[in-house]
Amino acid sequence: MYTVETINKIQDEIVEEFSQYGDWLEKYELLIEYSKTLPVISETFKTEENLVAGCTSKVWLHAEVKDGNVFYSADSDAIITKGLVALVSRILSGHTPREIMDAELYSIKKIGLSEHLTPNRANGLQAMIRKMKEYAKSAGGND
Amino acid sequence: MYTVETINKIQDEIVEEFSQYGDWLEKYELLIEYSKTLPVISETFKTEENLVAGCTSKVWLHAEVKDGNVFYSADSDAIITKGLVALVSRILSGHTPREIMDAELYSIKKIGLSEHLTPNRANGLQAMIRKMKEYAKSAGGND
Amino acid sequence: MDKTIAITENIQKIRQDFPILGRNINNHPLVYFDNAATTHKPRQVLDALVHFYSHENSNIHRGVHTLAQEVTGKYENAREKIRSFINASYSHEIIFTKGTTESINLAASSFSKRFVSSGDEIVITEMEHHSNFIPWQIACSERSATLKVCRITDSGELDLDHFRELLTSKVKLIAVTHISNSLGTVNPVKKIIEEAHASGIPVLIDGAQAIAHSRVNVQELDCDFYCFSGHKMYGPTGIGILYGKEKYLNDMPPYQSGGSMIKKVTVKETTFGDLPLKFEAGTPPVGDAIALVAAVEYIENLGFDFIVNRENELVNYALDKLETLSDIKMYGHAKHRAPVISFLIDTIHPYDTGIILDKLGIAVRTGHHCTQPVMDKYNIPGTVRVSFAFYNTIEEIDAFIIGIERVKKILKV
Amino acid sequence: MDKTIAITENIQKIRQDFPILGRNINNHPLVYFDNAATTHKPRQVLDALVHFYSHENSNIHRGVHTLAQEVTGKYENAREKIRSFINASYSHEIIFTKGTTESINLAASSFSKRFVSSGDEIVITEMEHHSNFIPWQIACSERSATLKVCRITDSGELDLDHFRELLTSKVKLIAVTHISNSLGTVNPVKKIIEEAHASGIPVLIDGAQAIAHSRVNVQELDCDFYCFSGHKMYGPTGIGILYGKEKYLNDMPPYQSGGSMIKKVTVKETTFGDLPLKFEAGTPPVGDAIALVAAVEYIENLGFDFIVNRENELVNYALDKLETLSDIKMYGHAKHRAPVISFLIDTIHPYDTGIILDKLGIAVRTGHHCTQPVMDKYNIPGTVRVSFAFYNTIEEIDAFIIGIERVKKILKV
Ligand SMILES: Cc1ncc(COP(=O)(O)O)c(C=O)c1O
Ligand SMILES: Cc1ncc(COP(=O)(O)O)c(C=O)c1O
């Protein structure tokens, strides 16, 4: 239970951070700032397999396990998409497979980016999250 | 000119005849009477070729030339359709190919059966008339 | 007595939802008994259409702007609504087509390309609508396979003994209608599917006549494909459904190709997208798909308990009344029947009957009903067919019976 | 000055016919620049739809009752209306489909079954929409024929020298778009058809983008096939047209099969009906066909003189304005162009531009526009595309230009 709280603690911090900005413009500017913090996937991992299906823009996603925790690296050719993946990666990266699989990403709605969560959204945020959880699962979340 | 008037004279008689009946019911009863006056096509002419396409009911149509005039015989498995073909046959039969080709069947509208003239009408009255005129044409209307 | 009044009032209220039912035809109030050809549309469906086009209209998929996102969502919700309506396992098993005919053509072409080869057989039945007949005839001739046709009995039911004889190891698929549109027979499709599956054969059900008249549950039936049209279930024209089990749809090649259904297109090669889009090339009938949701909701609001009861009441009343008339010959005497009655009056051609009834404002269908092999079996040119929907009334049936008497009188039987 | 005011007032009046144009998106008035994906529908079209379903609704063909007769008549009138709209010789050369994609699939499948054999070639171009690309790719692979792709120049025009090189005796058909949906190029189709015919090769024109923006005269063009969609010409979704010359349509086998398109069906053999029904199996999208008439009338009432002038004015104004901005790279510089502009801002991904513009209420299309080979040619992931209709305004373009500036600022170019 404690561990999921850690993920939630990060989420709460992010919600707090975004809450200081009123309109969409500032939120998107913050999202763009986020995009710069994304651990960038190495070129060798930019494979067809690591592409997230269902995005209008390209999103490559890679996961590595260190000391039992999953760390993500990613990239996108669209900056807003990159900001979104950076946001989710900041929330999930560094946690155990189990924690990641159990995580509920309530923060995205609270931030005011829920529009990106609809399954038909061309940025495929849902697909990204699904792929991140799949990585976690195959990294040992089946215990 | 005189000959076409003959066809039209028959038409005028028919219009006169029908005008004595007010409602559709009586008109249809008269149409059914007409069906009984149709010179019936001999069984040997009830071929695929002599079928009029575009009728829900079957209509066989045959033409013979005697002394330069065209005579029709026909049959249908539906009695109203048979009445219609009898009506048209009474108008056109016995005239020269040229007269038949030039004939304008204004009487059908005047009688109050114009609904049957729409091209989508399943009884194919238009198709019957077309076929009768085609017979006339091939019987020597090309002069 | 009170109950009858309540039902009558209820029906009057329902009829108000269908503006066309107020029309006069040839100076008589319209009696519409051609529901098996197409049903009328309630206001709710028209409202949905108008609302879509006047407030939401956009093309779907891949658009990032709000309208495109909204409409894509609504279109996918429509798919989900249909999934739940027929209880499919996944919404990607629901393919939008333009109607039953296209659904069957898609299945026949695509299934047979993948699963049917020379020497194989496909089984259909003698009572199939041309739309569930010719596509298989063509598929068989293209794949050098053989089409086998299961006979029907004199009462218009499937000859199940013959059916069982046909179930050989050569058979790759069975295509059979849920309800016969010309005889009213309700086929024992669950049993047929069970027996077919016992021989490892998948089954396609033509549900065009069934979908609006009883609850269809594709998982319970365990059918492999199920096809139906929007316009026969109180929805608009131009929309239909192919339900297919994922395992078959996944393996089948695309049918039409074009926008929206691809992964990657190069001059050398094209790779196709996943279900369901693989089978939905081009701009789909978005407006009609969305309006179909309103039709489903309308049906669900009435409920199948009501619909089935009501339509049984109508068909039984009509059968009883017709029986009191002389010179009526019925075609189709299945024990389990839908609200569809086919008959002839003595030797009167169905066309003549149809014309006279129309003069009295009564719309019936006449002809072979796109089931020529059935007419050939009975050696008749066609029948007069009346088919009911819940909005029809006992009074309309009475008017129809009087109409039949007049036909007989006019045509001197 | 007075003239400008008159035009402005006129446009304001026209806009009232399109209720959706009054919508707010993200607290901004909607600026709809995605007309190449689908156009909006005037009230007149919705009224026609509602009138049909609430007063006339019936299935068509072979029904003898009044409703069936009326609707069959209206449906055939719709065919005649389309014939006269594109000046075809006969109304039976007009086939109703569900859209351009189906029209092309029908033609590709049916034409190639009849006229294309092993070793033959079909020519398309690098700028084709996937809907005029993949069907030919598939047809060629099924017939062991070869697909040849005519190159485009850097300015996004057809490379006519290459085109001429491709015109060998092996070529059985040329399929080319009238207007490119991603580059805005208007192709010299009349010239192409002339040269193709000189070599005895028939030509199919994909008119999806052209039909609403200039008068199309198929006899003058002398094209052998012409395809378009209702939803891109102010009509409903779910309806499209395949025009084909009688001589080809007559010889081509049916595409889909089922009800309404047969002469005689027996278990042994099926014979097919005549044009146009041969190609219209099943219940067609009757309501949409009838509503399409209202769309044609709407266009005719405005007149193509007005439409062409107006849309030229809009596109020229937008091009001028975009030119004043730095960091804009245009794709497609054809001399003769449609009201479609594709561009990128510096290295900004089209998706990012689309998202920000949408926040400002501006609907543009982003991505490959179902023309991946074009994007591959320019080596870009896609473009931002704005496309105009006569109901767009100069003020909307101004708002769009301001929007572009904001995109640049937000995304720090
Ligand atoms: C049993 C059956 N199958 C198929 C069809 C074809 O449906 P549609 O014309 O909507 O494609 C019909 C409709 O007449 C039918 O009754
Ligand atoms: C040039 C072109 N061809 C074909 C199509 C396909 O049209 P539809 O999706 O209506 O079938 C389109 C529409 O995007 C187009 O722009």
Side-chain angles (χ1 to χ4, degrees):
Chain A
M1 290 304 277
Y2 172 74
T3 48
V4 176
E5 274 168 9
T6 313
I7 279 183
N8 288 355
K9 217 172 142 220
I10 302 174
Q11 293 203 75
D12 293 340
E13 279 169 29
I14 293 176
V15 171
E16 172 67 24
E17 193 181 354
F18 269 87
S19 73
Q20 295 164 28
Y21 302 100
D23 66 356
W24 67 269
L25 182 56
E26 292 170 333
K27 281 192 182 128
Y28 271 69
E29 283 174 336
L30 186 54
L31 204 58
I32 290 162
E33 287 309 308
Y34 262 82
S35 75
K36 296 172 187 161
T37 69
L38 178 69
V40 172
I41 188 171
S42 98
E43 284 298 319
T44 54
F45 291 131
K46 285 194 172 178
T47 60
E48 196 74 21
E49 247 211 333
N50 284 335
L51 269 177
V52 180
C55 304
T56 296
S57 43
K58 281 189 168 145
V59 182
W60 296 269
L61 196 64
H62 178 65
E64 254 166 65
V65 187
K66 254 181 264 165
D67 303 333
N69 293 327
V70 183
F71 291 85
Y72 297 100
S73 59
D75 201 2
S76 172
D77 53 355
I79 201 161
I80 292 171
T81 312
K82 198 169 164 185
L84 288 168
V85 71
L87 187 77
V88 180
S89 162
R90 162 134 173 236
I91 295 169
L92 296 180
S93 231
H95 294 91
T96 66
R98 186 80 263 162
E99 287 164 15
I100 292 169
M101 287 169 60
D102 290 347
E104 204 210 308
L105 293 173
Y106 59 83
S107 54
I108 293 164
K109 252 196 192 129
K110 276 200 167 170
I111 289 169
L113 293 172
S114 56
E115 65 206 58
H116 292 286
L117 278 175
T118 61
N120 45 300
R121 199 71 205 181
N123 59 41
L125 180 54
Q126 283 209 336
M128 284 180 223
I129 296 172
R130 208 177 314 121
K131 190 145 187 161
M132 284 183 167
K133 291 200 170 198
E134 270 167 25
Y135 278 139
K137 193 173 174 183
S138 61
N142 290 326
D143 53 349
Chain B
M1 291 307 276
Y2 171 71
T3 49
V4 174
E5 273 167 10
T6 314
I7 279 184
N8 288 355
K9 216 171 144 222
I10 303 174
Q11 292 202 75
D12 293 341
E13 279 167 29
I14 292 177
V15 170
E16 173 67 22
E17 192 180 355
F18 269 88
S19 72
Q20 294 165 30
Y21 301 100
D23 66 357
W24 68 269
L25 183 55
E26 291 171 333
K27 282 190 181 129
Y28 272 70
E29 283 173 337
L30 186 53
L31 203 57
I32 289 161
E33 287 310 309
Y34 262 83
S35 74
K36 296 172 187 160
T37 69
L38 178 68
V40 171
I41 187 170
S42 98
E43 284 299 317
T44 54
F45 292 130
K46 286 195 172 177
T47 59
E48 196 73 22
E49 246 209 335
N50 283 335
L51 270 176
V52 180
C55 304
T56 296
S57 44
K58 282 189 168 148
V59 181
W60 296 268
L61 196 64
H62 178 65
E64 255 166 64
V65 187
K66 256 182 264 164
D67 304 330
N69 293 327
V70 182
F71 292 84
Y72 296 101
S73 59
D75 200 3
S76 172
D77 53 355
I79 201 160
I80 293 172
T81 312
K82 198 170 166 185
L84 288 169
V85 72
L87 187 77
V88 180
S89 163
R90 160 131 178 239
I91 296 169
L92 297 180
S93 231
H95 293 92
T96 66
R98 185 79 264 163
E99 287 163 14
I100 292 169
M101 286 168 62
D102 290 347
E104 204 209 310
L105 293 173
Y106 58 84
S107 55
I108 292 164
K109 254 200 190 121
K110 277 200 167 171
I111 290 170
L113 291 172
S114 56
E115 64 205 59
H116 292 285
L117 278 175
T118 60
N120 45 299
R121 198 72 206 179
N123 59 40
L125 180 54
Q126 282 210 335
M128 284 181 223
I129 297 172
R130 208 176 313 120
K131 190 145 188 161
M132 285 183 166
K133 292 200 169 197
E134 271 166 25
Y135 278 139
K137 192 172 175 185
S138 62
N142 290 326
D143 53 350
Chain C
M1 190 60 183
D2 273 357
K3 209 181 140 215
T4 318
I5 293 173
I7 287 177
T8 308
E9 276 177 6
N10 197 1
I11 297 296
Q12 286 313 321
K13 237 179 82 198
I14 287 171
R15 286 176 69 88
Q16 316 250 302
D17 289 333
F18 297 83
I20 199 172
L21 296 178
R23 259 193 75 165
N24 275 335
I25 299 288
N26 295 322
N27 301 319
H28 295 271
L30 166 65
V31 172
Y32 186 78
F33 284 171
D34 195 17
N35 294 288
T38 200
T39 57
H40 291 311
K41 325 303 175 199
R43 277 184 301 98
Q44 289 81 343
V45 168
L46 309 192
D47 290 349
L49 263 184
V50 170
H51 184 80
F52 168 72
Y53 284 124
S54 55
H55 288 93
E56 300 170 330
N57 177 59
S58 167
N59 211 319
I60 56 170
H61 300 315
R62 312 222 145 244
V64 303
H65 61 75
T66 301
L67 288 181
Q69 289 292 321
E70 282 177 4
V71 174
T72 305
K74 281 204 129 190
Y75 181 70
E76 292 306 324
N77 284 348
R79 196 190 303 282
E80 168 56 24
K81 183 80 193 176
I82 300 296
R83 184 208 64 71
S84 90
F85 182 56
I86 63 170
N87 193 34
S89 305
Y90 310 106
S91 65
H92 60 255
E93 292 178 327
I94 305 298
I95 311 294
F96 283 115
T97 66
K98 71 178 171 189
T100 306
T101 301
E102 175 163 83
S103 299
I104 297 171
N105 274 270
L106 192 171
S109 161
S110 204
F111 180 91
S112 66
K113 274 186 191 159
R114 176 67 181 76
F115 293 109
V116 179
S117 4
S118 168
D120 289 342
E121 293 179 358
I122 286 172
V123 171
I124 60 168
T125 89
E126 210 175 354
M127 69 167 82
E128 297 312 312
H129 188 281
H130 294 162
S131 291
N132 198 31
F133 199 113
I134 316 172
W136 303 110
Q137 210 172 25
I138 291 176
C140 282
S141 105
E142 285 185 352
R143 319 292 306 165
S144 307
T146 308
L147 187 69
K148 295 280 181 170
V149 182
C150 178
R151 280 191 301 264
I152 58 177
T153 65
D154 286 342
S155 67
E157 295 178 287
L158 284 184
D159 180 341
L160 289 178
D161 292 332
H162 188 218
F163 173 73
R164 284 176 196 121
E165 273 170 42
L166 292 175
L167 291 190
T168 70
S169 62
K170 287 185 181 167
V171 177
K172 284 295 172 310
L173 183 122
I174 295 162
V176 56
T177 194
H178 199 155
I179 292 177
S180 156
N181 68 306
S182 55
L183 300 168
T185 314
V186 179
N187 284 319
V189 286
K190 197 164 154 54
K191 191 153 125 200
I192 288 172
I193 292 163
E194 249 170 51
E195 298 193 18
H197 283 182
S199 305
I201 306 166
V203 180
L204 176 143
I205 304 291
D206 173 354
Q209 289 300 332
I211 194 69
H213 301 288
S214 59
R215 157 111 12 234
V216 170
N217 183 330
V218 294
Q219 285 191 76
E220 201 182 290
L221 285 178
D222 202 22
C223 55
D224 303 280
F225 299 95
Y226 199 93
C227 308
F228 55 98
S229 300
H231 72 95
K232 291 186 199 275
M233 55 182 284
Y234 313 102
T237 52
I239 186 84
I241 303 293
L242 170 65
Y243 157 79
K245 279 188 188 159
E246 186 187 44
K247 64 173 173 180
Y248 291 110
L249 293 181
N250 265 335
D251 280 1
M252 284 156 54
Y255 177 57
Q256 299 184 335
S257 57
S260 303
M261 49 75 78
I262 53 99
K263 219 170 233 146
K264 179 101 195 116
V265 176
T266 67
V267 172
K268 288 224 172 52
E269 185 190 41
T270 292
T271 51
F272 300 107
D274 295 328
L275 290 179
L277 299 192
K278 177 171 98 176
F279 288 111
E280 294 181 2
T283 304
V286 189
D288 298 318
I290 289 171
L292 188 58
V293 173
V296 170
E297 284 169 353
Y298 194 87
I299 290 172
E300 288 179 337
N301 280 342
L302 290 180
F304 274 110
D305 285 350
F306 167 79
I307 292 173
V308 171
N309 274 336
R310 172 74 187 163
E311 292 178 351
N312 276 339
E313 187 191 350
L314 292 168
V315 75
N316 289 331
Y317 184 82
L319 285 170
D320 286 351
K321 284 280 166 178
L322 279 170
E323 230 152 67
T324 65
L325 302 183
S326 56
D327 301 312
I328 300 286
K329 181 155 170 42
M330 304 281 215
Y331 294 87
H333 295 89
K335 265 165 248 104
H336 193 182
R337 72 143 67 230
V340 171
I341 303 174
S342 251
F343 66 95
L344 287 175
I345 311 172
D346 200 64
T347 59
I348 298 177
H349 196 282
Y351 176 76
D352 292 325
T353 305
I355 287 282
I356 305 290
L357 289 177
D358 180 56
K359 286 285 176 194
L360 303 167
I362 301 162
V364 301
R365 182 111 331 205
T366 57
H368 55 58
H369 319 298
C370 296
T371 57
Q372 282 187 351
V374 172
M375 303 304 134
D376 290 350
K377 179 192 159 56
Y378 294 113
N379 199 19
I380 48 177
T383 69
V384 180
R385 183 188 72 185
V386 291
S387 53
F388 306 112
F390 52 75
Y391 45 59
N392 288 128
T393 66
I394 297 291
E395 292 72 33
E396 288 179 320
I397 295 173
D398 289 338
F400 159 72
I401 295 292
I402 294 169
I404 294 290
E405 295 284 18
R406 292 201 60 184
V407 171
K408 288 169 66 175
K409 220 174 108 200
I410 295 166
L411 300 173
K412 307 272 162 14
V413 175
Chain D
M1 192 60 183
D2 273 357
K3 208 180 142 217
T4 317
I5 291 172
I7 287 177
T8 307
E9 275 176 7
N10 198 1
I11 296 297
Q12 286 313 321
K13 238 180 80 199
I14 287 172
R15 286 176 69 89
Q16 316 248 302
D17 290 333
F18 297 82
I20 199 172
L21 296 178
R23 258 193 76 167
N24 275 334
I25 300 288
N26 295 322
N27 302 318
H28 296 270
L30 167 64
V31 171
Y32 186 78
F33 283 172
D34 196 17
N35 293 288
T38 200
T39 57
H40 291 312
K41 326 302 173 200
R43 275 184 302 99
Q44 290 81 342
V45 168
L46 309 193
D47 290 349
L49 263 183
V50 170
H51 184 80
F52 168 72
Y53 284 124
S54 55
H55 289 92
E56 302 171 330
N57 177 60
S58 167
N59 211 321
I60 56 171
H61 300 316
R62 312 222 144 242
V64 303
H65 60 77
T66 302
L67 287 182
Q69 288 292 322
E70 283 178 4
V71 173
T72 304
K74 283 207 127 187
Y75 180 70
E76 292 306 324
N77 284 348
R79 198 190 302 282
E80 168 55 24
K81 184 79 195 175
I82 300 295
R83 184 210 62 72
S84 89
F85 182 56
I86 62 170
N87 193 34
S89 306
Y90 311 106
S91 66
H92 59 254
E93 293 178 326
I94 305 296
I95 311 294
F96 284 115
T97 65
K98 70 177 172 187
T100 307
T101 300
E102 176 164 82
S103 299
I104 297 172
N105 274 271
L106 191 172
S109 162
S110 204
F111 180 90
S112 65
K113 272 185 192 160
R114 176 67 182 76
F115 294 108
V116 180
S117 3
S118 169
D120 288 344
E121 292 178 358
I122 286 173
V123 171
I124 59 168
T125 87
E126 210 175 354
M127 70 167 82
E128 297 312 312
H129 189 280
H130 293 162
S131 291
N132 199 29
F133 199 113
I134 316 173
W136 302 110
Q137 209 172 26
I138 291 176
C140 282
S141 105
E142 285 184 354
R143 318 292 306 164
S144 307
T146 307
L147 187 69
K148 295 279 181 171
V149 182
C150 177
R151 278 192 301 267
I152 58 177
T153 65
D154 286 342
S155 67
E157 295 178 289
L158 284 183
D159 180 341
L160 288 178
D161 292 331
H162 187 218
F163 172 74
R164 285 177 194 120
E165 274 170 40
L166 292 175
L167 290 190
T168 71
S169 62
K170 288 185 181 167
V171 177
K172 286 294 173 306
L173 183 122
I174 295 163
V176 57
T177 194
H178 199 155
I179 291 177
S180 156
N181 69 306
S182 54
L183 299 168
T185 313
V186 180
N187 285 319
V189 286
K190 197 164 155 57
K191 192 153 125 200
I192 288 171
I193 292 163
E194 250 170 51
E195 297 193 19
H197 284 182
S199 306
I201 307 166
V203 180
L204 176 143
I205 304 291
D206 173 354
Q209 290 300 333
I211 193 70
H213 301 289
S214 59
R215 156 105 21 230
V216 170
N217 183 329
V218 294
Q219 285 191 78
E220 201 182 290
L221 284 178
D222 201 23
C223 55
D224 303 278
F225 299 95
Y226 198 93
C227 308
F228 54 98
S229 300
H231 72 94
K232 292 186 199 275
M233 54 182 285
Y234 314 101
T237 52
I239 187 84
I241 305 292
L242 170 65
Y243 157 79
K245 278 188 187 159
E246 186 187 41
K247 65 173 173 179
Y248 290 110
L249 293 181
N250 265 336
D251 280 2
M252 284 157 53
Y255 176 56
Q256 299 185 336
S257 58
S260 303
M261 48 75 79
I262 53 101
K263 217 169 235 147
K264 179 100 194 121
V265 175
T266 67
V267 172
K268 287 224 173 50
E269 186 189 40
T270 292
T271 50
F272 299 106
D274 295 328
L275 289 178
L277 299 193
K278 177 171 98 176
F279 289 111
E280 294 183 359
T283 303
V286 188
D288 299 318
I290 288 170
L292 189 57
V293 172
V296 169
E297 284 168 355
Y298 193 88
I299 290 172
E300 288 179 337
N301 279 343
L302 290 180
F304 274 111
D305 285 351
F306 167 79
I307 292 173
V308 171
N309 273 337
R310 172 74 188 163
E311 293 178 352
N312 277 339
E313 187 190 349
L314 292 168
V315 73
N316 289 331
Y317 184 81
L319 285 169
D320 286 351
K321 284 280 167 175
L322 278 170
E323 230 154 64
T324 65
L325 302 183
S326 57
D327 302 311
I328 301 284
K329 180 153 171 41
M330 304 281 217
Y331 294 87
H333 295 88
K335 264 165 247 105
H336 192 182
R337 72 142 68 230
V340 171
I341 304 174
S342 252
F343 66 94
L344 287 175
I345 312 173
D346 199 65
T347 58
I348 297 177
H349 195 281
Y351 176 75
D352 291 324
T353 304
I355 286 282
I356 304 291
L357 288 176
D358 181 56
K359 286 287 176 190
L360 303 166
I362 301 162
V364 300
R365 182 110 329 205
T366 57
H368 55 59
H369 319 299
C370 296
T371 57
Q372 282 188 351
V374 172
M375 302 305 135
D376 289 350
K377 179 194 159 58
Y378 294 114
N379 198 20
I380 48 176
T383 68
V384 181
R385 181 187 74 185
V386 291
S387 52
F388 307 112
F390 52 74
Y391 47 58
N392 288 128
T393 65
I394 296 292
E395 293 71 34
E396 288 179 322
I397 295 173
D398 290 338
F400 158 72
I401 295 292
I402 293 170
I404 294 289
E405 295 283 18
R406 292 201 60 184
V407 171
K408 287 168 68 175
K409 220 175 109 203
I410 294 167
L411 299 173
K412 307 275 161 13
V413 176

